[in-house]
């Protein structure tokens, strides 16, 4: 089943994000290599793909997991949590309809 992992950053998270990003991306790459990653990316704080010092306000990951417990456990182990990037994370079931 697919799950959406919707994260909200703390204020001024950019430096923390940049420091933890390699480990965060490594975990996403593993999901991709396993064929389980549908999409992943951050929410820019301003209306541009490259927000610079404005940074990001959160992230969205949609991936396949065995169940909600596994999806939550994966989300809870994100390096961004350990680094203090996220103030909150919600994991929800997701039904892909299009495309």
């Amino acid at each position: 089943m697919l799950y959406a992992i919707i994260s909200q950053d703390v204020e001024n998270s950019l430096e923390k994000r940049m420091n933890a990003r390699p480990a965060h991306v490594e975990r996403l790459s593993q999901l991709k290599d396993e064929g389980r990653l549908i999409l992943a990316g951050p929410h820019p704080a301003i209306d541009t793909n490259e927000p610079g010092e404005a940074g990001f306000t959160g992230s969205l990951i949609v991936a396949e997991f065995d169940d909600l417990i596994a999806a939550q456990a994966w989300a809870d182990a994100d390096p961004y949590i350990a680094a203090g990037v996220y103030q909150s994370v919600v994991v929800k079931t997701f039904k892909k309809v299009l495309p």
Side-chain angles (χ1 to χ4, degrees), residues 38-58:
I38 304 303
L39 63 88
H43 301 287
I46 58 176
D47 194 11
T48 179
N49 283 331
E50 301 299 331
E53 291 183 15
F56 301 92
T57 62

Side-chain angles (χ1 to χ4, degrees), residues 51-72:
E53 291 183 15
F56 301 92
T57 62
S59 301
L60 171 64
I61 299 166
V62 177
E64 184 178 348
F65 294 94
D66 290 337
D67 53 36
L68 183 59
I69 293 169
Q72 186 69 60

